[in-house]
């Protein structure tokens, strides 16, 4: 039986999650304050503001959805990627993905 070693692809996926998760949360938080302020009715009013509000709402929803989907997909990939692989396969993975 071949020696099993840590899967470099899984490690790279986990490192990616560690890097992007805080960035996505920060992005959502940065967008949330102006979004909430706009909805107070004290920032801008009138028909143009109402149209802008609809666009802002759609874009904010898209950012929230895409960021959650990205995180969930990455977590799913990590769970589906074996923690250990044979040493030869680890070398091939490292070479293939330049890890």
């Amino acid at each position: 039986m071949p020696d099993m070693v840590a899967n470099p692809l899984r490690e790279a996926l986990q490192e990616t999650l560690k890097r992007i998760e805080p960035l996505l949360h920060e992005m959502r938080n940065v967008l949330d304050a102006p979004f909430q302020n706009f909805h107070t009715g004290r920032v801008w009013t009138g028909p143009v503001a109402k149209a802008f509000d609809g666009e802002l709402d759609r874009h904010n929803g898209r950012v929230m959805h895409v960021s959650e989907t990205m995180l969930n997909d990455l977590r799913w990939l990590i769970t589906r990627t074996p923690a250990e692989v044979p040493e030869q396969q680890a070398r091939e993975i490292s070479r293939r993905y330049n890890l």
Side-chain angles (χ1 to χ4, degrees), residues 8-79:
L9 181 57
R10 184 180 174 115
E11 290 175 349
L13 291 169
Q14 289 171 326
E15 181 62 31
T16 301
L17 180 62
K18 283 182 200 172
R19 287 181 180 202
I20 69 165
E21 191 169 30
L23 296 173
L24 290 174
H25 286 296
E26 180 182 345
M27 179 181 68
R28 290 188 304 211
N29 290 337
V30 165
L31 292 174
D32 192 50
F35 180 76
Q36 295 302 323
N37 285 339
F38 188 81
H39 285 93
T40 64
R42 295 186 302 247
V43 175
W44 185 18
T45 59
V48 176
K50 189 169 187 152
F52 178 80
D53 181 45
E55 287 294 312
L56 183 61
D57 193 36
R58 279 190 289 286
H59 290 299
N60 191 54
R62 189 177 309 146
V63 166
M64 298 302 173
H65 175 73
V66 167
S67 63
E68 272 310 306
T69 300
M70 262 171 83
L71 290 173
N72 289 337
D73 288 353
L74 189 50
R75 288 182 189 116
W76 182 83
L77 280 171
I78 290 168
T79 63

